[in-house]
Amino acid sequence: MERHACGDDAAFAVVFDAVAPFIARYARRVLRNDAAADDIVQQTLLRMNRARGDFLPGAQVLPWAYAIAHNVLFNHLRRRKREDQLMRRVELASPAAFAAAPDEQLLAEETQTAMSAVFATLPKAQRDAYLMMRRDGLTLAETAGRLKTTVIAVKLRVHRAVARLRSSFNEGGQLP
Amino acid sequence: MISNDLRERVLRRAVEGRAPTRSQTRRTMSLTMLAGVASAAAILVVAGGLRPVGRPTELMVATFLLATTVAAASSWVALRRGASMVGRPANVIVALLVVAPFTLVAGKLALSVSWPGMTVPWPDRPGFRCFGLSLALGAAPLVAYLTVWRQRVVPRPGLQGAALGVAAGALAWTLIDIWCPVAHPAHLVFGHLVPMALLAATGAAWFHMR
């Protein structure tokens, strides 16, 4: 890094080889997604490159790289959370948006309002499991991986969420 | 395992967007900070510059030296990162936030009481002009300090921003000390200390929002 800071562009390859595996392992552990982890590695290393002129002589590289990776990861997770919230809102609003006739639209809006209210009362763990499986189409194993829990726990959460929604809408009815 | 594709992509983009070297970065930072301090000095000159009236010259020199020492130490702690790329430990920064303002106020009062009548209230100088001028003097250095720090990794953004604000505030205190002869405690707190606190809050808020 010292040589790179002084203007030796070729030295960045050495920095990359020394740092990237650690950052990749860290990002994969947090995200459990290879493509997203690669993106974190890329952003982290490019930020290190941009800040090379500010590198302190004799400073340790790896803690600095981890600190940058931590910030990049935090921003990534925050952005993903915002996107998830937006998706949820779009999904909950869609029945009303696509209903054709006025009476169907009214029914859809009423259903949406009622469903949103019931959905909001579900525990977060059940909501997340339900959305990942029903909306995102994830498998049981994938959902369990994302939520850092077991397949059985996911099954239980989704079952409880479905039961709660079903009982709130109609006795023997269909889920919207 | 890192794929060759990722490696090549990152190395290619690093070459395409060639980053400034250490010497280039240092030159830019030095010029930025110099511009900040020079702007503050220019504002002071416009406001009247050195005003050796209403107090003995020895007292003015003594308080100026004290303020200069505190401002230099504050800038050293706030602007430099020690040996670590992620900045100074939190306890060092907290110590700066407490010790610098306290030393400036206590030191100014302690030196002023040694001369008779130097801490009496000035009814026509409640501190509004000093308040405004302190903010104006501290703003330019604060912008320069934040510019220098904007790309750095900051694990404790609020604390670091506040430290930069205190450093800018201490510099403003030093400059206004040669302009304002009043050393009454209420005037010092409102006209000199509160602007420093506002600069610290601005620095902290800026780091949180970026």
Side-chain angles (χ1 to χ4, degrees):
Chain A
M1 193 66 212
E2 184 60 31
R3 279 195 289 133
H4 184 49
C6 292
D8 181 358
D9 291 343
F12 187 57
V14 182
V15 175
F16 183 95
D17 292 338
V19 170
F22 290 99
I23 303 303
R25 212 172 303 145
Y26 171 49
R28 279 178 193 142
R29 203 169 51 234
V30 176
L31 298 173
R32 296 172 185 278
N33 179 328
D34 285 359
D38 281 356
D39 193 40
I40 302 296
V41 172
Q42 177 171 326
Q43 285 189 52
T44 303
L45 267 295
L46 287 175
R47 277 195 194 191
M48 288 175 70
N49 175 58
R50 271 201 303 276
R52 69 172 177 172
D54 202 28
F55 184 74
L56 289 170
Q60 290 186 307
V61 178
L62 215 46
W64 178 46
Y66 272 121
I68 295 174
H70 176 81
N71 283 359
V72 172
L73 255 173
F74 180 77
N75 289 340
H76 173 87
L77 291 172
R78 200 165 50 178
R79 195 170 54 242
R80 200 170 72 180
K81 190 178 169 188
R82 273 203 299 267
E83 285 168 1
D84 281 354
Q85 283 171 345
L86 190 66
M87 282 293 292
R88 238 175 258 189
R89 254 182 260 149
V90 168
E91 170 153 314
L92 290 174
S94 60
F98 292 107
D103 56 341
E104 284 174 355
Q105 199 166 347
L106 184 66
L107 181 65
E109 278 172 6
E110 283 173 358
T111 308
Q112 179 209 324
T113 309
M115 186 168 175
S116 299
V118 177
F119 204 73
T121 62
L122 291 176
K124 188 180 179 308
Q126 289 181 19
R127 269 202 318 262
D128 289 345
Y130 179 85
L131 285 170
M132 280 181 193
M133 290 201 64
R134 296 294 168 97
R135 181 194 64 187
D136 300 338
L138 264 60
T139 63
L140 273 169
E142 286 167 342
T143 308
R146 279 229 194 151
L147 295 175
K148 294 178 187 169
T149 185
T150 61
V151 169
I152 294 172
V154 172
K155 267 187 191 172
L156 202 61
R157 287 176 193 180
V158 174
H159 172 76
R160 283 179 180 162
V162 170
R164 179 79 177 276
L165 290 169
R166 187 167 283 161
S167 69
S168 301
F169 278 90
N170 47 44
E171 273 65 37
Q174 299 284 309
L175 270 177
Chain B
M1 190 69 188
I2 302 294
S3 68
N4 280 335
D5 176 50
L6 173 65
R7 186 176 187 277
E8 279 167 25
R9 197 166 62 236
V10 171
L11 295 181
R12 192 179 60 245
R13 286 189 61 180
V15 171
E16 284 168 2
R18 195 171 185 277
T21 62
R22 182 180 287 148
S23 56
Q24 290 167 331
T25 305
R26 280 187 178 167
R27 195 165 46 245
T28 309
M29 285 179 179
S30 303
L31 286 174
T32 306
M33 286 200 273
L34 194 66
V37 175
S39 304
I43 291 170
L44 182 71
V45 169
V46 170
L50 178 69
R51 295 203 307 182
V53 289
R55 59 184 157 163
T57 309
E58 298 82 12
L59 173 61
M60 195 179 83
V61 171
T63 55
F64 176 72
L65 286 178
L66 171 81
T68 306
T69 309
V70 174
S74 303
S75 300
W76 180 266
V77 173
L79 285 167
R80 297 180 67 90
R81 290 168 290 177
S84 166
M85 285 297 293
V86 292
R88 297 192 186 277
N91 53 359
V92 174
I93 297 178
V94 170
L96 167 72
L97 297 180
V98 175
V99 171
F102 177 80
T103 310
L104 286 169
V105 175
K108 173 92 174 171
L109 287 173
L111 288 168
S112 298
V113 292
S114 309
W115 277 268
M118 283 295 109
T119 55
V120 294
W122 292 40
D124 56 333
R125 294 286 299 270
F128 290 111
R129 277 196 293 166
C130 285
F131 179 86
L133 188 57
S134 293
L135 281 180
L137 290 174
L142 180 61
V143 169
Y145 297 168
L146 293 176
T147 306
V148 166
W149 268 81
R150 76 185 192 283
Q151 296 290 352
R152 290 180 177 166
V153 184
V154 183
R156 295 164 292 275
L159 275 180
Q160 185 58 51
L164 294 174
V166 163
L171 178 68
W173 180 298
T174 306
L175 293 173
I176 206 158
D177 194 66
I178 58 175
W179 183 83
C180 170
V182 184
H184 184 252
H187 174 97
L188 283 182
V189 169
F190 176 67
H192 300 217
L193 189 64
V194 172
M196 186 186 280
L198 286 177
L199 290 167
T202 306
W206 186 85
F207 262 100
H208 265 299
M209 287 189 304
R210 72 181 182 146

